């Protein structure tokens, strides 16, 4: 079992990015992924922004208790969540990701505070959403992210943070949300 704290983009943001993935020309994908073994796009239902990995066998009650406390303190000073959009792309070893762009400096600061509330270090955090993986091979640092050059999705605001358990099952990892905490006091509409 692995535990992590994440936020999910809005349904509209996921649909928009999924449409961009679907519109990619197969020849461009083949060229960009040449030499990568077992390249695959991840299913949109798994697209999330990890704010902090808590590790294998982390104490679930301790993680959720701290998150509740930190978010409550955060909401006392700022009752809104950051306005974000998915934009741009990059790679880590074995991962193609789409970046997260805050609208303003205060939205950037609010995102960093959510990372801090999750127990992470905002200085070393690259906000991103993993959209594809591969098991071996070196990605061309320009060609693969270039599939999403200029990509920008719709603006959205996270409503909550989720503590997620990632269980290893036959056929891969299965995500199970074990706790949610609202990150805004704003009323919808």
């Amino acid at each position: 079992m692995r535990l992590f704290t994440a936020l999910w983009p809005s349904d509209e943001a996921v649909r928009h990015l999924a449409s961009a993935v679907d519109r990619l020309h197969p020849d461009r994908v083949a060229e960009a992924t040449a030499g990568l073994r077992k390249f695959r796009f991840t299913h949109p239902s798994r697209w999330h922004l990890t704010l902090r990995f808590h590790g294998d066998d982390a104490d679930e009650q301790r993680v959720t208790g701290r998150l509740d406390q930190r978010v409550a303190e955060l909401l006392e000073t700022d009752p809104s969540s950051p306005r974000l959009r998915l934009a741009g792309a990059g790679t880590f070893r074995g991962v193609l990701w789409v970046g997260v762009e805050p609208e303003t400096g205060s939205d950037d600061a609010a995102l960093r505070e959510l990372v801090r509330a999750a127990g992470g270090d905002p200085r070393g955090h690259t906000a991103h959403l993993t959209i594809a993986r591969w098991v071996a091979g070196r990605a061309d640092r320009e060609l693969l992210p270039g599939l999403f050059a200029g990509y920008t999705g719709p603006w959205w605001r996270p409503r909550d943070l989720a503590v997620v358990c990632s269980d290893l099952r036959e056929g891969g990892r299965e995500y199970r949300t074990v706790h949610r905490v609202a990150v805004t006091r704003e009323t919808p509409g």
Side-chain angles (χ1 to χ4, degrees), residues 10 68-69 87 100 102 115 119 164:
S10 69
D68 287 346
Q69 179 183 359
V100 177
V115 172
V164 180

Side-chain angles (χ1 to χ4, degrees), residues 152-175:
T152 54
W155 294 105
W156 55 279
R157 288 185 187 272
R159 296 192 183 279
D160 57 33
L161 295 182
V163 176
V164 180
C165 178
S166 174
D167 296 312
L168 187 56
R169 305 272 189 227
E170 205 173 296
R173 292 214 166 261
E174 180 179 298
Y175 293 164

Side-chain angles (χ1 to χ4, degrees), residues 19 49 53-54 59 76 78 110 128 135 168 186-187:
S19 177
L49 287 72
F53 281 107
H54 301 287
D59 183 321
E76 287 180 18
D78 186 1
H128 69 280
V135 297
L168 187 56
E186 295 175 335
T187 54

Side-chain angles (χ1 to χ4, degrees), residues 38-49:
K38 295 188 179 180
F39 178 89
R40 63 178 168 68
F41 284 101
T42 56
H43 193 274
S45 66
R46 298 176 65 84
W47 292 347
H48 65 277
L49 287 72

Side-chain angles (χ1 to χ4, degrees), residues 19-65:
S19 177
V21 170
D22 290 343
R23 288 191 313 267
L24 290 173
H25 193 280
D27 291 344
R28 281 194 69 208
V29 174
E31 179 185 9
T33 61
L36 301 181
R37 219 172 101 227
K38 295 188 179 180
F39 178 89
R40 63 178 168 68
F41 284 101
T42 56
H43 193 274
S45 66
R46 298 176 65 84
W47 292 347
H48 65 277
L49 287 72
T50 300
L51 301 183
R52 165 102 198 265
F53 281 107
H54 301 287
D56 296 334
D57 301 318
D59 183 321
E60 184 179 317
Q61 288 183 326
R62 176 176 280 155
V63 169
T64 59

Side-chain angles (χ1 to χ4, degrees), residues 33-164:
T33 61
L36 301 181
R37 219 172 101 227
K38 295 188 179 180
F39 178 89
R40 63 178 168 68
F41 284 101
T42 56
H43 193 274
S45 66
R46 298 176 65 84
W47 292 347
H48 65 277
L49 287 72
T50 300
L51 301 183
R52 165 102 198 265
F53 281 107
H54 301 287
D56 296 334
D57 301 318
D59 183 321
E60 184 179 317
Q61 288 183 326
R62 176 176 280 155
V63 169
T64 59
R66 285 183 182 165
L67 182 64
D68 287 346
Q69 179 183 359
R70 289 173 178 155
V71 169
E73 291 168 1
L74 180 60
L75 288 176
E76 287 180 18
T77 59
D78 186 1
S80 64
S81 63
R83 190 160 184 219
L84 309 170
R85 71 178 174 186
L86 301 175
T91 61
F92 298 136
R93 185 174 52 172
V95 169
L96 171 63
W97 52 266
V98 170
V100 177
E101 180 181 284
E103 183 177 32
T104 66
S106 61
D107 291 314
D108 184 50
L111 179 58
R112 287 194 313 269
E113 287 303 316
L114 291 180
V115 172
R116 190 173 283 115
D121 181 357
R123 292 171 298 175
H125 187 264
T126 300
H128 69 280
L129 182 148
T130 297
I131 61 168
R133 295 184 177 277
W134 60 92
V135 297
R138 273 211 150 120
D140 181 304
R141 292 193 172 264
E142 291 181 22
L143 201 53
L144 187 57
L147 293 173
F148 294 92
Y151 174 79
T152 54
W155 294 105
W156 55 279
R157 288 185 187 272
R159 296 192 183 279
D160 57 33
L161 295 182
V163 176
V164 180

